[in-house]
Amino acid sequence: MRKWIALLIVIVPVVEFWGYAFVADRLGLGKTIFLTLATSVIGGLMMQFEGRKVMADAKSQINGGQVPGKMAIDGMCVFAGGIMLLLPGFVTDLLGFILVFPLTRPLCRALLMKWIGKKLKDGTITFYRR
């Protein structure tokens, strides 16, 4: 896990710099800065709206006596996507919008549930019950 984090710390800024250079070359510096600020503001608002919606859905499932498993994973996706949207950069913004947008979130949720199931089966994630 540590090597993945170290690799991300090196690769993400390089990819984001390349993305900035590409967009600034096409649009110009002023429009690139405006686009960066606009995606951060729009992403923050989207994260707020979708987060409230996920929390309301989870609350209604809990009040109905159900376990909000999918809603919990949706909440993690919205949170991670919101963090990515608040970070400056176009690649992280693209990934953040994919995680926050309600039509693409089920794809991410399916991949995340598959990954968690694999980790539970391998024994690298342990689940304790009281």
Side-chain angles (χ1 to χ4, degrees):
M1 182 70 170
R2 288 183 183 166
K3 59 184 170 184
W4 285 107
I5 292 174
L7 190 65
L8 284 175
I9 288 173
V10 171
I11 289 178
V12 169
V14 170
V15 171
E16 291 296 351
F17 180 75
W18 178 81
Y20 267 112
F22 181 78
V23 172
D25 186 44
R26 302 281 190 258
L27 298 179
L29 182 62
K31 290 179 184 176
T32 302
I33 292 171
F34 173 76
L35 191 58
T36 301
L37 293 174
T39 56
S40 292
V41 170
I42 291 169
L45 293 173
M46 241 178 116
M47 178 181 71
Q48 224 177 13
F49 177 75
E50 289 297 323
R52 285 185 181 148
K53 195 167 87 170
V54 167
M55 289 298 291
D57 291 344
K59 189 175 182 179
S60 68
Q61 282 186 350
I62 289 172
N63 289 338
Q66 299 174 338
V67 177
K70 288 183 180 179
M71 288 299 124
I73 292 179
D74 275 355
M76 289 189 296
C77 288
V78 169
F79 180 74
I83 296 297
M84 286 184 183
L85 285 168
L86 294 176
L87 292 173
F90 294 113
V91 177
T92 54
D93 285 347
L94 177 67
L95 293 173
F97 277 120
I98 289 171
L99 286 170
V100 171
F101 194 62
L103 296 177
T104 55
R105 197 178 323 131
L107 300 172
C108 299
R109 179 181 45 202
L111 291 173
L112 190 57
M113 287 177 73
K114 185 178 177 182
W115 179 77
I116 290 172
K118 181 183 170 193
K119 292 292 183 180
L120 283 170
K121 193 179 270 188
D122 292 348
T124 54
I125 293 178
T126 306
F127 181 71
Y128 295 103
R129 289 186 181 214
R130 288 185 178 195

